[in-house]
Amino acid sequence: MAAVHANDTDLIVLRPQGMYCPAGDFYIDPWRPVDRAVITHAHADHARMGHAHYLASRDAEHVLRSRLGAIDLQTLTYGEMITINGVQVSLHPAGHVLGSAQVRVAHAGRVWVASGDYKTAPDATCAPFEAVPCDTFITESTFGLPIYRWPNDADVFADINAWWSANAAQGLASVLYCYSFGKAQRILSGVDASIGPIVVHGAVQVLNAAYRASGVALPDTQLVTDVADKASLKRALVLAPPSVAGSSWMKRFGEYRDAFASGWMLLRGARRRRGVDRGFVLSDHADWPGLHSAIAATGCEQVIVTHGSVPVMVRYLEEKGLHARAFATEFGDDALDDSAPEAAITTAIVQA
Amino acid sequence: MKQFAALFAAIDATTSTNEKVAALKAFYENAPDDDAAWATYFLAGGKPRQSIPTKVLRSAALAASGLPEWLFEESYQAVGDLAETIALVLPPPIRDDDESLTTWIESRLAPMRGATPEDASATLQSYWQMLDIERRFLLTKLIGGGFRVGVSKLLVTRALADFSGVDAKTIALRLMGWTDKNAQPSTAAYAALIAPVAPASDGAQSQRTDGAPYPFFLAHALNEPVEKFDSLLGDPRDWIVEWKYDGIRAQLIKRGGMVWIWSRGEELMTDRFPEIVKRAQTLPDGVVIDGEILVMREGDDVPQPFNLLQQRIGRKTLSKKILAEVPVQLLAYDLLEFDSADLREQPLSLRREKLEALCAASHWPLSTTVNASDWATLAQLREESRQRRVEGFMLKARDSRYGSGRTKNDGTWWKWKIDPMSIDCVLIYAQAGHGRRAGLYTDYTFAVWNRAPQSADEAQTVVAAIKAGLPPGELQLVPFAKAYSGLTDEEFKRVDAVIRKSTVNSFGPVRSVAPSLVFELGFEGINLSPRHKSGIAVRFPRMLRIRDDKPIHEADTLMSLNALM
């Protein structure tokens, strides 16, 4: 049944198409078209077009369909187990975005978990990260350096509210650049909607609809074309993907203040390079303490590190006495989510 | 220190100058005078007195962070700033602190100077434990001596003027000398800075005896073709034209029998140039001269190259030998004060007249002016710049007053520089930048061929050897210059991507790359240098453009560099 593979003990190996489970003959977040793909979450670098069959969490269904259209999709509730070619497969919350899941794969007494992207911080728009005991944990490492420690969400939202209020008081729109899927909805769930109207870019609105259809409560949001009272734009919070900066879409807001919400905004250099008025530190990825608490909580013996600060994580984990190695994946090369800094920071180093 | 940290964070968090000024004003309205004095010192660009060597700072941070050294180093590479790295990697504070900026500077930091490394490290770690990330960053910057605020002196002047009601020009004048490393900010100095201007007492010119300089008047770059000069500048006879010397801009002040020499960066340099001080004995009191310090032997009219001056500034002690071999002069080109009277509101033509008389009477070296009735003649003369070891011409409007800073409100000064020398060279090493370029490869090392490759294929064998890690053969790329400016953000991103893809090896923060990119590198001067592998040192190297049209075998050679000398 299973395909031939180099190491019999590995439940998941790397193939040119992506991470592959030889025993179950399926891929996890493959980057080339395959027959059977298990999808951790709907960000574009993890959920690609062209696979014959998709398996994802039930919470991911609306967002996945809004991005990929009519696909052959099977869904599981978190914790529900199915068997694929004799391999037990279940999905567990990763806390990254709505519907994000860790993939638990169990076979012949071994348990491997592929995390996809995850965060351990709270997020009102998705189920919280859940530690899943395993032998081998495949982890991301987007923010795998000890400089990355996130401030409290409550403080960040208070800062955003204060910034928005101060701008509104001066009659200036508050344009907050953020990724359309995940970050935008998390911000919507955290801001004080009584400060003023909330306007979103079309790319954000599509996902808002998918979130609402999934039962996530969000404050009212309008497209700029639907705003009847144009004067109200001067008090508005505007959520838009970073790509619209400097485009004609921005002209409707007259004079405005802008800001960027991302984990990368923790560094002064990154903030200054963005050239926005403000940077808010808000990430959908685990920070350094989050990564290590998540790894420790699995009780695993082996860690395989994918995209991010791969060599740093591998060396650090090795020094702590774990077996650690890397998978050279193609994750994090898509600007739709903040796994990709402007200059893709470390992914290129390892693969040599 | 909380107020100052909040001010720093507010300035750092915004790119809007109005918001920066508003934050400054709010700070001045609330801060006690002693803190306002220290804050002004730092805001105006004053450097903290480094109280702890970087090595001690680093090891204390390493101990406090509990990280392995390599991981601390990786973190530093990603952040690009030591103090910021330290602020971020240390564990959260366990106490709070409410002491003022002045207490921190005068009672906590100052005593650390001269402490044993062990004591300094222990004290520092206890301080870090009581500060949040923002204040930790600030403290570490202050201690490490690398403190800089993202606000121009002009904005600080504006905020102080707004807050105190004193006009900005007066504030700018009073701020001169504030940032010198020997200045001691105090409540009294701050009170004098923002004190209302006393009404002018008629006639009686009060005799100044302090050593404070005037704000320097700065020139604008003139990059237009000479054909446009008639319409842009009018008749050349309305301009005083001087050679643009390549030395150190300085003000010499003689008041009450004392002499001070200030750099344009408002650093007091009097001790560095004893021969100029000695010569100033011939000058009368109540005089301020603006000019250029140059290495120049008595009687010469061509100065020595700038790198000699650089060597001389680098000396801690000035031996008789150095003074004899590398003598300096201050070539005067403007007179700002004479007979204790401020001449800055008078037209340049009049100041120049007085300066010429003064220089003649006191045997002081004077800049030469160049006269011509048309711009074309001047353009032709400008071609002699390199032989004369000057950078081109200075054009100063005859009727210009002496303004403060880079302004055109008082009449304009132009620097009409010759085009830089340039050479096509190959990028071979790269290092990540700092500050806003942290994490981006922006600092490059460039090489030329030791001889011209015979063909593209021969050049590619060198590339192949570099990729394979083989020792260089007979044909080699010889590094000769580093540069990190001249490209746009977009171009840097593109080069950064190429570097990541073509990395052959990493040595700490430096990457060696498989050579593929040719750059046109511009520089102002070129000299022999035994300290460089190529035997050559270039001055002010910067990238003029990426030569996508040039394959690497068409890059220049050591011979082409030598030919420029």
Side-chain angles (χ1 to χ4, degrees):
Chain A
M1 56 135 222
V4 182
H5 53 97
N7 190 340
D8 261 357
T9 63
D10 284 358
L11 271 185
I12 297 169
V13 298
L14 196 63
R15 284 194 161 185
Q17 295 90 335
M19 292 191 288
Y20 177 64
C21 175
D25 189 23
F26 60 84
Y27 286 84
I28 299 171
D29 293 350
W31 42 85
R32 290 193 201 162
V34 300
D35 184 46
R36 185 180 285 278
V38 181
I39 301 298
T40 62
H41 66 284
H43 273 142
D45 53 333
H46 291 260
R48 301 189 192 235
M49 300 271 204
H51 309 308
H53 304 284
Y54 290 78
L55 177 69
S57 80
R58 177 161 304 166
D59 285 0
E61 180 166 6
H62 290 286
V63 279
L64 208 50
R65 287 199 190 284
S66 84
R67 311 212 106 188
L68 300 182
I71 49 171
D72 176 10
L73 174 66
Q74 180 188 356
T75 62
L76 297 178
T77 54
Y78 289 127
E80 182 186 350
M81 191 179 291
I82 57 163
T83 304
I84 306 176
N85 297 326
V87 174
Q88 292 179 333
V89 177
S90 55
L91 302 177
H92 305 267
H96 177 56
V97 292
L98 179 61
S100 65
Q102 307 173 73
V103 183
R104 180 184 184 274
V105 178
H107 179 66
R110 287 164 291 145
V111 179
W112 285 39
V113 170
S115 73
D117 290 333
Y118 64 95
K119 73 168 171 286
T120 51
D123 181 340
T125 64
C126 65
F129 177 86
E130 192 180 296
V132 182
C134 58
D135 312 320
T136 294
F137 185 56
I138 302 177
T139 184
E140 62 138 321
S141 63
T142 307
F143 291 101
L145 278 172
I147 49 178
Y148 293 111
R149 262 179 300 187
W150 305 144
N152 286 329
D153 273 28
D155 294 341
V156 178
F157 288 127
D159 283 350
I160 295 176
N161 287 333
W163 171 75
W164 179 14
S165 301
N167 295 339
Q170 292 183 62
L172 299 170
S174 303
V175 179
L176 182 51
Y177 299 117
C178 56
Y179 297 107
S180 319
F181 169 28
K183 190 70 59 70
Q185 291 74 31
R186 185 167 165 213
I187 292 169
L188 287 171
S189 76
V191 294
D192 176 1
S194 69
I195 297 172
I198 302 176
V199 173
V200 299
H201 187 268
V204 175
Q205 192 72 322
V206 171
L207 284 145
N208 286 353
Y211 266 65
R212 290 187 182 110
S214 309
V216 178
L218 298 175
D220 284 343
T221 53
Q222 288 173 282
L223 291 175
V224 67
T225 43
D226 296 342
V227 177
D229 173 15
K230 296 298 177 197
S232 74
L233 291 177
K234 291 185 182 305
R235 289 180 297 111
L237 175 68
V238 181
L239 298 188
S243 53
V244 305
S247 74
S248 58
W249 190 78
M250 296 302 307
K251 287 188 185 142
R252 309 153 206 255
F253 303 105
E255 203 188 335
Y256 60 86
R257 291 273 183 262
D258 59 1
F260 189 62
S262 161
W264 302 111
M265 293 296 105
L266 187 73
L267 299 186
R268 296 170 70 231
R271 274 205 306 272
R272 279 184 282 169
R273 200 148 64 215
R274 268 280 163 193
V276 289
D277 292 321
R278 284 290 294 270
F280 295 107
V281 181
L282 196 68
S283 176
D284 286 331
H285 293 269
D287 58 2
W288 175 260
L291 288 169
H292 291 285
S293 70
I295 291 167
T298 65
C300 66
E301 292 160 2
Q302 176 176 242
V303 181
I304 297 175
V305 184
T306 63
H307 58 302
S309 291
V310 181
V312 168
M313 284 290 283
V314 168
R315 180 168 174 189
Y316 186 76
L317 292 167
E318 285 275 345
E319 286 184 4
K320 289 186 77 174
L322 288 168
H323 295 295
R325 58 192 171 98
F327 269 170
T329 66
E330 291 183 16
F331 304 139
D333 58 355
D334 194 297
L336 284 174
D337 123 76
D338 63 359
S339 5
E342 292 135 289
I345 284 190
T346 39
T347 34
I349 305 173
V350 233
Q351 280 84 348
Chain B
M1 192 159 71
K2 278 183 179 164
Q3 280 177 315
F4 189 54
L7 170 65
F8 182 85
I11 290 174
D12 203 42
T14 178
T15 51
S16 145
T17 50
N18 284 338
E19 278 177 25
K20 287 183 185 192
V21 172
L24 285 164
K25 246 184 93 178
F27 172 82
Y28 280 118
E29 273 156 13
N30 295 311
D33 284 1
D34 51 352
D35 282 6
W38 272 107
T40 303
Y41 170 81
F42 290 125
L43 291 166
K47 294 278 167 284
R49 291 73 164 152
Q50 174 157 17
S51 38
I52 293 190
T54 308
K55 218 173 86 189
V56 177
L57 192 63
R58 212 179 248 268
S59 66
L62 200 55
S65 71
L67 296 175
E69 192 173 355
W70 68 267
L71 187 52
F72 184 85
E73 196 49 43
E74 287 280 355
S75 301
Y76 174 54
Q77 287 306 324
V79 178
D81 182 288
L82 183 62
E84 190 180 355
T85 310
I86 292 173
L88 291 172
V89 299
L90 295 186
I94 52 176
R95 294 197 288 282
D96 197 20
D97 169 86
D98 239 344
E99 286 299 343
S100 71
L101 177 64
T102 308
T103 304
W104 270 98
I105 303 277
E106 295 179 359
S107 311
R108 289 184 169 167
L109 300 190
M112 285 174 86
R113 237 174 306 160
T116 64
E118 293 74 28
D119 287 351
S121 172
T123 311
L124 195 51
Q125 293 188 46
S126 75
Y127 289 161
W128 280 331
Q129 285 176 346
M130 51 174 117
L131 301 174
D132 56 19
I133 291 179
E134 258 174 25
R135 282 179 292 157
R136 231 187 245 159
F137 171 68
L138 197 61
L139 175 78
T140 312
K141 278 280 181 201
L142 290 176
I143 288 174
F147 183 72
R148 255 185 66 231
V149 194
V151 63
S152 70
K153 207 167 169 179
L154 206 68
L155 288 191
V156 180
T157 308
R158 223 171 92 189
L160 275 167
D162 274 9
F163 159 67
S164 66
V166 178
D167 70 292
K169 266 197 165 172
T170 305
I171 295 278
L173 179 61
R174 289 174 177 176
L175 264 179
M176 293 303 288
W178 255 72
T179 55
D180 183 63
K181 57 185 182 300
N182 295 313
Q184 180 72 22
S186 65
T187 310
Y190 178 67
L193 178 67
I194 56 168
V197 180
S201 48
D202 289 325
Q205 179 76 42
S206 68
Q207 204 110 330
R208 284 180 73 174
T209 53
D210 63 290
Y214 293 103
F216 282 80
F217 189 27
L218 305 177
H220 297 260
L222 183 63
N223 295 319
E224 301 291 335
V226 69
E227 295 75 40
K228 286 197 181 167
F229 279 24
D230 279 324
S231 61
L232 270 173
L233 308 175
D235 192 323
R237 281 165 294 205
D238 293 337
W239 297 80
I240 289 182
V241 181
E242 295 167 283
W243 296 108
K244 183 179 184 318
Y245 294 97
D246 182 18
I248 297 173
R249 177 92 183 266
Q251 261 181 55
L252 180 140
I253 288 139
K254 186 168 183 195
R255 292 183 189 131
M258 297 267 290
V259 174
W260 293 268
I261 300 171
W262 292 89
S263 74
R264 216 201 85 184
E266 287 168 47
E267 242 184 286
L268 197 53
M269 313 183 290
T270 319
D271 299 342
R272 303 285 181 88
F273 306 111
E275 64 266 64
I276 298 179
V277 175
K278 197 171 161 210
R279 191 170 193 156
Q281 286 170 359
T282 63
L283 292 172
D285 261 345
V287 157
V288 177
I289 289 172
D290 184 11
E292 196 91 2
I293 295 175
L294 298 163
V295 175
M296 213 162 168
R297 307 212 162 85
E298 208 59 45
D300 281 5
D301 40 352
V302 172
Q304 299 297 312
F306 183 80
N307 64 336
L308 275 184
L309 186 55
Q310 223 165 8
Q311 285 168 29
R312 159 115 186 219
I313 309 164
R315 300 277 172 166
K316 279 217 175 95
T317 50
L318 293 166
S319 64
K320 276 198 175 134
K321 188 165 170 266
I322 290 289
L323 288 174
E325 282 175 6
V326 197
V328 294
Q329 298 187 21
L330 191 146
L331 201 66
Y333 42 64
D334 211 332
L335 188 61
L336 313 187
E337 186 175 306
F338 186 70
D339 212 2
S340 296
D342 182 347
L343 303 184
R344 293 176 302 152
E345 291 298 310
Q346 303 201 9
L348 173 62
S349 50
L350 218 96
R351 299 200 306 272
R352 176 85 197 179
E353 222 169 83
K354 288 189 172 157
L355 178 68
E356 284 173 4
L358 173 68
C359 287
S362 308
H363 303 287
W364 195 268
L366 174 73
S367 73
T368 23
T369 55
V370 179
N371 293 309
S373 50
D374 60 279
W375 294 111
T377 311
L378 283 167
Q380 211 168 5
L381 265 171
R382 196 176 69 124
E383 296 303 310
E384 295 173 13
S385 294
R386 289 232 155 83
Q387 283 126 274
R388 295 175 173 268
R389 293 220 183 89
V390 296
E391 299 179 299
F393 278 133
M394 289 296 305
L395 313 177
K396 301 173 179 173
R398 278 188 189 276
D399 57 0
S400 61
R401 286 169 294 173
Y402 192 91
S404 9
R406 210 177 299 282
T407 163
K408 289 182 183 171
N409 300 339
D410 298 283
T412 308
W413 286 10
W414 294 105
K415 40 186 177 187
W416 182 25
K417 290 170 79 165
I418 44 176
D419 296 332
M421 304 180 190
S422 72
I423 203 112
D424 292 330
C425 51
V426 182
L427 188 157
I428 57 166
Y429 304 122
Q431 192 169 352
H434 293 264
R436 69 185 287 270
R437 295 151 147 207
L440 202 62
Y441 285 89
T442 56
D443 300 5
Y444 311 136
T445 301
F446 295 101
V448 288
W449 296 105
N450 60 340
R451 65 159 170 83
Q454 282 150 9
S455 62
D457 285 349
E458 195 191 9
Q460 284 310 315
T461 59
V462 175
V463 176
I466 290 172
K467 277 186 179 166
L470 298 173
E474 179 263 324
L475 177 64
Q476 291 179 21
L477 280 164
V478 186
F480 78 102
K482 283 185 180 180
Y484 44 83
S485 64
L487 299 189
T488 64
D489 285 357
E490 288 309 310
E491 287 170 321
F492 270 127
K493 272 188 205 170
R494 179 156 80 84
V495 177
D496 176 86
V498 173
I499 289 163
R500 285 170 198 279
K501 272 193 204 130
S502 58
T503 298
V504 173
N505 218 331
S506 299
F507 316 95
V510 180
R511 287 178 174 214
S512 75
V513 300
S516 67
L517 293 175
V518 176
F519 287 76
E520 184 178 344
L521 199 73
F523 42 89
E524 296 300 322
I526 181 164
N527 279 295
L528 287 175
S529 163
R531 280 168 38 207
H532 293 77
K533 195 175 168 187
S534 61
I536 281 167
V538 294
R539 185 153 149 69
F540 288 144
R542 72 267 188 188
M543 293 166 267
L544 298 179
R545 60 193 169 123
I546 308 175
R547 294 295 306 260
D548 288 316
D549 54 319
K550 268 207 168 178
I552 61 165
H553 71 276
E554 287 179 17
D556 281 314
T557 63
L558 272 182
M559 256 178 62
S560 23
L561 268 178
N562 279 312
L564 292 172
M565 240 177 299

